[in-house]
Amino acid sequence: MTRPLLLRGIRPYGVGDPVDLLVRGGVIAEMGAQLDEAGAERFDGGGLVALPGLVDLHAHLREPGREDAETIATGSAAAALGGYTAVFAMANTDPVADTAVVVEHVYRRGRDVGLVDVHPVGAVSAGLRGERLAELGAMAASAAAVRMFSDDGVCVHDSLLMRRALEYVRGLGGVVAQHAEDPRLTAGAQAHEGEVAARLGLAGWPAAAEESIVARDCLLARDAAAALHVCHVSTAGTVEVLRWAKQRGIRVSAEVTPHHLLLTDERLAGYDPVNKVNPPLRTAADTAALRAALADGIVDCVATDHAPHAGQDKDCEWSVARPGMLGLQTALSVVVATMVRPGLLDWRGVARVMSERPARIGGATDQGRPIAVGEPATLILVDPDAAWTVRGAQLASLSDNTPFEGMELPGRVLVTMLRGAITAEDGKVLC
Amino acid sequence: MRHLLSTADLPRQAATALLDTAEALKKSLLGREVHKLPTLRGRTVVTLFYEQSTRTRASFEIAGKWMSADVVNISAGESSVTKGESLRDTAFTLAAMGADCVVIRHPASGAAHRLADWVPTHVINAGDGSHQHPTQALLDAATLRDRLGTLNGRTVTIVGDVLHSRVARSNIDLLITLGAHVHLVAPPTLLPWGVENWGIRQAHGWPVTVGHDLDAALPGTDAVMLLRVQAERMRGQFFPSAREYSINYGLTEARLALLPEHAVVLHPGPMLRGMEIAHSVADSPRAAITEQVRNGVHVRMAVLYHLLAAQEDQP
């Protein structure tokens, strides 16, 4: 058993007077003013904001298969430094995470690294081929206890297969996370369908390709009384569809990425593929709608879609570049810049969209817990006033494809703690 | 001028200077038996073509040779490109061998921009995907200046597959810069998103106007520019049939009669005779198609001159 830890002068959710918090045996043992404990290690919080550890429902850790771009170890390090204590690892690895064997391998590698809880997402269809269901029950019953299933990167576009997946996963107590993209409407698509892509001669990715699939899936979820999660919502129109569905009590949740909150397709001039992502960067009207939707709860949470890529897959022509951006280490700062600073969310709201809601959606029951006595000491300390400049080469990820290169972003994670063990402190990974 | 990547980067003065140089080169070569100027002796120009091309590549090669540059031609089919070498590595290789200028044609929009980011050589965009083909627009402008005297205040109607056409994008930008009014005629499926706003951002530009009725547009047109239907870039169906396209958007003899006396017919080639343009129209005196090709050499000489020679005057 590690020594007790006394955090002094921290502000849970950034509200009220600073309090002391005693961590013993991996749980929050005491909270209050002027605590003391003989033999405890002390940490002077100096008014730092305490939040529950962040939970990312959407990351690509690339292992197994593309360990040259990222590994579970390097991705976990990036996550811990970014304030995450749990990460859902998408299934589009090689081999695909579509069997109990693969998801257990990912789960155990995550445990061995020990920096964050790695929850493997199981593929909906065998090989992500969209033809027949993967062994969803076996993955759910495995040591990894998979509850979220997704073919992310590919849309489950066959309506009947999607319906069956929703129905079947309801029986497992899980959720199907959909990458909403009508493949017929996006054949060859390279960028958001709009004036920028038209001028640049890039084939357009129309908003309707996302919105029509989200609308269809909401209706399928309604009929199946099943849980649907919409990955990386990118358009104002999707927000309207989600609003409609939620008003009718359909069990749908949704995530937005940090890059879709901050960046627009204006960045495409110059053709640097670091800006290539799927779904694509859209317009300022979309980012505004997404921010508002995240603030009012129509979009439930922020998920990174952390997508590391090797240099040769990004330093090339736009059309052959792989889509995706790093996100784990920059997500909180982007949320501070786009939501907290403009007054759209307070810190309690940040806890909701980056920890509590995603933990609930993904079924990670010991994550996203209140900061209260008796709860797991899985939390982070954030300096809300600090700023830092993003440098891809300095991020913990094996890859450096961050679209935020050179940007000064507000808010810094100083401590990340997983069940009482500090996993990252002051920009360095521990344990 | 360091590169020529897009006509959108050309201010009016620079565009006019290029056209004036082309005209001067044309006059200085007129009537000469030997078409050779010593201007670019010792300079190496590489043409790097990842798409099939007859006229553009030959035109650049002739332009370089008439300026006494050493011209090396590389086409994708016969190079290490087929062995899987990346564009970036090919670019580094050519730069290391001492190429002063790379003329690139590539199926990916933005390929010329990427090349210019990677290597220190001058880059000329000879067509990148559906994006830009600036020397084509310059040679079209040179041809229209010859025939119409000026482009200022003239109406140019561009007909057909604007969506997939780099020729159209380069022409729209350059024609607006030179003070012309651009009218587009195409079925809605072949028009880029938001094209009607394209002129608005340019300070002296007229907005682009859009229509779907060629017969209605022709009487008010000073020049009609026909585009090739780019079947190789089309994913899925954009119009019902070649026959229907030809009926609605082909330049027939009857339509030729709707044009004003002085109006000019342009086509960037290669032409699909009988579809975009009637056989007899293509060969009529109104068509300036061979003049376009002739001007192409002079315009490309002018571009090479401005990129490779004119800069030596600077400190």
Side-chain angles (χ1 to χ4, degrees), chain B residues 202-256:
Chain B
Q202 271 151 299
H204 306 291
W206 303 41
V208 173
T209 54
V210 176
H212 311 298
D213 183 350
L214 184 53
D215 291 342
L218 291 175
T221 289
D222 298 298
V224 56
M225 193 177 280
L226 304 164
L227 299 173
R228 187 171 65 82
V229 173
Q230 312 239 325
E232 75 278 16
R233 291 187 219 285
M234 289 188 179
R235 292 170 188 272
Q237 194 184 13
F238 286 81
F239 50 85
S241 68
R243 201 173 104 95
E244 181 161 316
Y245 181 90
S246 177
I247 289 168
N248 287 327
Y249 301 101
L251 193 63
T252 57
E253 285 220 43
R255 288 205 169 106
L256 190 66

Side-chain angles (χ1 to χ4, degrees), chain B residues 45 47 49 55-65 71 103 124-126 133 135 300 303-304:
Chain B
V45 174
T47 68
F49 274 54
R55 76 191 61 217
T56 304
R57 192 175 129 167
S59 181
F60 269 109
E61 183 174 355
I62 291 167
K65 287 181 169 168
V71 181
V103 179
I124 298 174
N125 184 2
H133 188 359
T135 57
R300 288 170 179 128
V303 171
L304 288 170

Side-chain angles (χ1 to χ4, degrees), chain B residues 1-314:
Chain B
M1 199 161 70
R2 167 136 201 89
H3 308 295
L4 180 61
L5 303 179
S6 164
T7 52
D9 304 335
L10 285 179
R12 188 164 186 160
Q13 210 178 359
T16 307
L18 278 170
L19 295 173
D20 290 346
T21 304
E23 205 171 308
L25 287 164
K26 184 178 178 177
K27 278 184 184 144
S28 72
L29 291 170
L30 202 68
R32 281 205 196 188
E33 229 166 82
V34 179
H35 294 243
K36 201 98 167 171
L37 303 171
T39 324
L40 295 182
R41 194 154 49 201
R43 299 307 196 96
T44 303
V45 174
V46 175
T47 68
L48 177 60
F49 274 54
Y50 287 78
E51 284 182 340
Q52 289 288 343
S53 163
T54 307
R55 76 191 61 217
T56 304
R57 192 175 129 167
S59 181
F60 269 109
E61 183 174 355
I62 291 167
K65 287 181 169 168
W66 285 5
M67 305 280 277
S68 302
D70 297 310
V71 181
V72 178
N73 296 315
I74 300 172
S75 44
E78 56 201 47
S79 72
S80 52
V81 170
T82 45
K83 298 173 197 157
E85 186 176 68
S86 71
L87 174 62
R88 187 165 174 269
D89 286 335
T90 302
F92 285 141
T93 302
L94 297 175
M97 286 176 182
D100 296 296
C101 178
V102 176
V103 179
I104 181 174
R105 168 164 290 191
H106 198 283
S109 297
H113 279 78
R114 296 298 286 156
L115 201 68
D117 288 341
W118 291 324
V119 292
T121 58
H122 298 278
V123 176
I124 298 174
N125 184 2
D128 63 326
S130 300
H131 179 224
Q132 285 267 332
H133 188 359
T135 57
Q136 177 70 42
L138 286 164
L139 73 87
D140 289 339
T143 307
L144 292 175
R145 275 205 337 182
D146 285 351
R147 287 273 190 121
L148 301 173
T150 177
L151 277 162
N152 201 30
R154 301 291 191 168
T155 294
V156 180
T157 299
I158 302 179
V159 185
D161 186 2
V162 180
L163 180 64
H164 299 97
S165 176
R166 53 198 179 206
V167 173
R169 281 176 182 72
S170 282
N171 263 302
I172 292 168
D173 287 330
L174 183 62
L175 289 167
I176 290 170
T177 300
L178 294 173
H181 168 222
V182 177
H183 184 61
L184 305 176
V185 177
T189 48
L190 290 178
L191 287 167
W193 198 97
V195 70
E196 58 280 359
N197 298 323
W198 277 9
I200 289 169
R201 286 196 199 149
Q202 271 151 299
H204 306 291
W206 303 41
V208 173
T209 54
V210 176
H212 311 298
D213 183 350
L214 184 53
D215 291 342
L218 291 175
T221 289
D222 298 298
V224 56
M225 193 177 280
L226 304 164
L227 299 173
R228 187 171 65 82
V229 173
Q230 312 239 325
E232 75 278 16
R233 291 187 219 285
M234 289 188 179
R235 292 170 188 272
Q237 194 184 13
F238 286 81
F239 50 85
S241 68
R243 201 173 104 95
E244 181 161 316
Y245 181 90
S246 177
I247 289 168
N248 287 327
Y249 301 101
L251 193 63
T252 57
E253 285 220 43
R255 288 205 169 106
L256 190 66
L258 295 174
L259 283 168
E261 237 3 71
H262 67 274
V264 193
V265 176
L266 301 181
H267 194 298
M271 288 182 281
L272 293 177
R273 285 178 188 246
M275 182 168 173
E276 301 135 3
I277 187 165
H279 183 71
S280 59
V281 174
D283 294 336
S284 83
R286 309 285 284 282
I289 292 157
T290 48
E291 289 159 63
Q292 287 175 276
V293 175
R294 190 175 304 119
N295 284 327
V297 176
H298 304 125
V299 156
R300 288 170 179 128
M301 289 172 78
V303 171
L304 288 170
Y305 174 79
H306 279 255
L307 259 54
L308 296 174
Q311 62 154 12
E312 286 186 347
D313 303 336
Q314 293 163 7

Side-chain angles (χ1 to χ4, degrees), chain A residues 46-312:
Chain A
L48 296 176
V49 173
L51 299 175
L54 307 183
V55 177
D56 188 10
L57 286 180
H58 193 144
H60 298 274
L61 300 184
R62 301 293 186 226
E63 183 181 345
R66 281 307 296 265
E67 291 84 350
D68 60 324
E70 193 79 292
T71 65
I72 289 170
T74 58
S76 293
L81 289 166
Y84 285 94
T85 51
V87 165
F88 284 70
M90 277 299 170
N92 62 341
T93 48
D94 183 11
V96 172
D98 59 358
T99 62
V101 173
V102 179
V103 294
E104 284 195 353
H105 170 77
V106 171
Y107 175 71
R108 295 219 161 91
R109 281 290 300 135
R111 289 262 297 234
D112 291 347
V113 172
L115 290 169
V116 295
D117 291 346
V118 175
H119 294 281
V121 175
V124 170
S125 70
L128 307 177
R129 283 189 296 274
E131 293 164 359
R132 56 186 183 81
L133 295 177
E135 289 185 352
L136 308 173
M139 290 189 275
S142 73
V146 174
R147 288 295 176 273
M148 179 176 262
F149 298 90
S150 182
D151 276 2
D152 180 63
V154 191
C155 179
V156 182
H157 64 93
D158 182 297
S159 304
L160 183 60
L161 187 72
M162 186 61 183
R163 180 193 157 147
R164 294 282 187 256
L166 286 164
E167 288 174 332
Y168 197 87
V169 168
R170 185 191 65 203
L172 304 174
V175 61
V176 176
Q178 175 73 294
H179 171 118
E181 174 183 356
D182 183 325
R184 289 280 292 154
L185 288 175
T186 57
Q190 296 288 334
H192 168 66
E193 183 175 82
E195 197 170 328
V196 173
R199 293 200 64 112
L200 292 174
L202 296 172
W205 199 127
E210 174 174 303
E211 294 152 5
S212 59
I213 293 289
V214 174
R216 179 202 73 175
D217 288 353
C218 285
L219 298 174
L220 293 175
R222 177 194 66 188
D223 291 356
L228 167 71
H229 179 71
V230 181
C231 295
H232 40 53
V233 171
S234 70
T235 79
T238 297
V239 171
E240 290 314 303
V241 174
L242 290 170
R243 190 185 311 278
W244 177 90
K246 287 191 168 194
Q247 280 167 354
R248 278 152 188 80
I250 295 170
R251 293 174 63 199
V252 58
S253 58
E255 69 190 31
V256 61
T257 69
H259 48 269
H260 287 113
L261 289 173
L262 182 61
L263 308 176
T264 69
D265 64 348
E266 295 289 339
R267 288 177 56 106
L268 270 53
Y271 297 95
D272 185 345
V274 79
N275 297 306
K276 183 171 174 176
V277 65
N278 190 16
L281 299 181
R282 300 205 186 264
T283 67
D286 293 302
T287 59
L290 293 169
R291 292 179 191 191
L294 184 63
D296 68 18
I298 295 298
V299 169
D300 298 78
C301 63
V302 172
T304 64
D305 198 3
H306 179 82
H309 285 298
Q312 69 272 17

Side-chain angles (χ1 to χ4, degrees), chain A residues 374-410:
Chain A
E375 293 288 349
T378 298
L379 46 84
I380 62 173
L381 300 181
V382 179
D383 182 347
D385 301 317
W388 62 294
T389 301
V390 181
R391 296 286 172 215
Q394 291 166 13
L395 299 175
S397 176
L398 270 187
S399 301
D400 59 5
N401 54 304
T402 173
F404 309 113
E405 179 73 32
M407 279 190 197
E408 193 185 81
L409 294 177

